[in-house]
Amino acid sequence: RSETFVVPSNLHHKRLDAALVTLMGESASSRSYVGSLIQQGLVTVTDTSDPAYSSSDALSTTTITAKSYKVEEGQTLVVTHSNANNRPTEIVAQDLPLEILYEDEHMVVLNKAAGMVVHPAAGNWDGTVVNALAYYLPRSPHGAGELVNEDITAELEGLNANREGMDGEIVAFRPGIVHRLDKGTTGILIVAKTRPSLTALSASFANRQVRKTYLAITVGNPGKRVVINKPIGRHPIHRQRMRVVPDPTQKNSSGKSTEDKGNYKPGRRALSYVDTLAFDGKLSLVHVRIETGRTHQIRVHLQDRHTPVYGDELYGIAEWNNRLSKSYQISRPLLHAHQLEINHPVSGEKMVFIAPMAEDMTRIGDLVWPDGRTEQPAFFGKQV
């Protein structure tokens, strides 16, 4: 069963959960019930409130999983009532393949596969890295650790039942996770196995003591030794997307500000260093080092430079993405977390982890850079 509502003027800029409690009336049951529906991905927003929207445009519908999302007057909200609470009360252990690069009793370092979500969340309650670790760690020769397999029932049902991270996701479902990779991105992912390691690794990321380098295949040539220092924030209309936030002091050709100062929200600092390694006239293989770790940072910065990641459905070029899918059966952004340097959370020893590109990205990389295997064998791995 579903219900549809249009946001009235008196609820403009109200929190999504609060607005739905008002709109749904008795069917809301309680604010916690509404919050549960949102976290399960059962609420969508259609942006007919966009001033640029016309009846000939395609509607932009987004699933919202953050209760704190601010609704806009005129938006259409669709709520689907579940027959049962689909959110699990435990992390389900699943025997899924993991490529382990390094492991000890404190942490495990993985080469994440494409298509795998890092931790359970609305829309992906299983099949994640955390589900796979819940199965693997009790069988690990280095010990299970104390995080992934601990009982989270009390946290889910007690005072912290709806404790969330900044992105609206439930903290209990991401034990040991100190950083993330997008679903379509491959490469190095570090997971803590103990609470002291979690604290130490989290501090390293927060204090920017981690050196992260990526490889990407882009449409076009971003250039040599390019520094991109542009703030990133959430898109004001398409809420699942990020964007480079324009400078409100900049003027367009008409002398008007490019940004509505009344609704202006500054982005967060984002710094990327981009270097093209090879360019075949159409596509490039590029090396990217990020100083910060904003959501979708590399994808947004490369899009802003008009050289988007090849295969990126969210920020890329549809014509090129279709070509990649039809010719090579690849339907993901060709972005790879290649190298990560970090101090060990207990010994303090400097550690460097390297993972070669996945097979699908390697196929395209061979075409773009025929001499790449000779010049940079660590990027390509073994010949298959």
Side-chain angles (χ1 to χ4, degrees):
R1 174 173 79 89
S2 64
E3 295 182 280
T4 301
F5 307 95
V6 176
V7 178
S9 60
N10 65 309
L11 295 179
H12 182 65
H13 276 186
K14 295 291 186 182
R15 282 174 54 112
L16 177 59
D17 55 353
L20 284 176
V21 167
T22 300
L23 292 169
M24 292 168 65
E26 291 184 1
S27 67
S29 175
S30 68
R31 187 158 174 169
S32 62
Y33 172 71
V34 171
S36 175
L37 294 177
I38 295 169
Q39 290 170 341
Q40 291 178 63
L42 298 176
V43 177
T44 63
V45 175
T46 302
D47 284 304
T48 53
S49 62
D50 180 0
Y53 170 77
S54 69
S55 59
S56 62
D57 292 330
L59 291 172
S60 173
T61 299
T62 303
T63 299
I64 304 297
T65 58
K67 296 184 292 185
S68 59
Y69 169 83
K70 299 298 178 61
V71 300
E72 306 280 341
E73 179 185 357
Q75 286 181 325
T76 299
L77 309 178
V78 177
V79 180
T80 301
H81 295 270
S82 58
N83 293 328
N85 189 346
N86 293 326
R87 187 182 73 190
T89 58
E90 63 181 358
I91 295 171
V92 179
Q94 294 178 293
D95 185 7
L96 304 171
L98 290 172
E99 182 179 347
I100 297 174
L101 301 176
Y102 172 87
E103 185 187 4
D104 60 23
E105 63 267 39
H106 308 291
M107 65 181 187
V108 57
V109 183
L110 309 171
N111 183 10
K112 188 186 85 67
M116 200 172 200
V117 175
V118 171
H119 63 79
N124 295 282
W125 289 122
D126 57 15
T128 73
V129 170
V130 167
N131 294 110
L133 287 173
Y135 178 88
Y136 164 75
L137 287 177
R139 299 162 175 81
S140 168
H142 300 280
E146 60 186 15
L147 292 178
V148 170
N149 289 283
E150 69 179 357
D151 185 3
I152 64 170
T153 304
E155 182 169 350
L156 289 173
E157 295 180 352
L159 294 176
N160 293 323
N162 291 312
R163 186 164 63 93
E164 301 173 355
M166 293 179 63
D167 49 13
E169 294 167 344
I170 301 169
V171 174
F173 285 112
R174 51 190 197 198
I177 300 301
V178 294
H179 70 125
R180 289 185 288 186
L181 298 176
D182 296 332
K183 180 179 181 179
T185 302
T186 56
I188 298 173
L189 181 75
I190 295 182
V191 181
K193 292 172 62 174
T194 67
R195 292 191 181 281
S197 294
L198 177 62
T199 299
L201 290 170
S202 297
S204 293
F205 277 90
N207 296 329
R208 295 177 189 155
Q209 297 168 337
V210 182
R211 187 179 177 93
K212 297 169 283 186
T213 56
Y214 290 71
L215 298 172
I217 292 176
T218 64
V219 179
N221 186 354
K224 299 290 289 183
R225 294 178 292 279
V226 175
V227 179
I228 306 177
N229 188 5
K230 293 187 175 183
I232 289 176
R234 193 161 295 281
H235 196 287
I237 298 171
H238 307 292
R239 301 298 295 177
Q240 286 186 322
R241 299 180 58 174
M242 309 300 286
R243 65 164 183 164
V244 167
V245 179
D247 183 345
T249 64
Q250 290 183 344
K251 309 290 183 181
N252 60 22
S253 58
S254 303
K256 297 182 179 180
S257 174
T258 57
E259 195 76 359
D260 180 358
K261 293 183 179 180
N263 295 320
Y264 176 72
K265 293 182 179 180
R268 301 180 71 187
R269 177 176 176 268
L271 180 58
S272 304
Y273 299 92
V274 180
D275 190 28
T276 298
L277 303 172
F279 178 54
D280 69 359
K282 295 180 179 179
L283 301 173
S284 295
L285 178 60
V286 303
H287 179 277
V288 185
R289 182 172 69 85
I290 56 174
E291 189 81 10
T292 52
R294 307 305 176 206
T295 301
H296 300 173
Q297 176 173 322
I298 294 173
R299 298 162 66 188
V300 170
H301 272 171
L302 288 171
Q303 180 208 35
D304 185 71
R305 198 165 177 81
H306 306 292
T307 55
V309 175
Y310 196 19
D312 193 333
E313 197 172 278
L314 202 57
Y315 302 102
I317 301 171
E319 180 182 351
W320 281 91
N321 295 346
N322 291 337
R323 185 181 307 175
L324 181 65
S325 177
K326 291 180 180 179
S327 299
Y328 302 99
Q329 292 72 53
I330 299 173
S331 301
R332 72 166 181 100
L334 293 180
L335 179 62
H336 175 70
H338 169 66
Q339 182 170 313
L340 191 146
E341 302 176 36
I342 193 170
N343 293 333
H344 191 276
V346 176
S347 70
E349 174 189 359
K350 180 180 178 179
M351 308 191 79
V352 180
F353 303 105
I354 296 174
M357 294 183 291
E359 183 275 333
D360 58 352
M361 188 169 172
T362 298
R363 276 189 284 142
I364 308 301
D366 280 331
L367 299 174
V368 175
W369 193 9
D371 297 328
R373 289 184 181 273
T374 301
E375 297 186 32
Q376 290 287 353
F379 292 175
F380 291 83
K382 297 178 181 179
Q383 180 74 48
V384 293

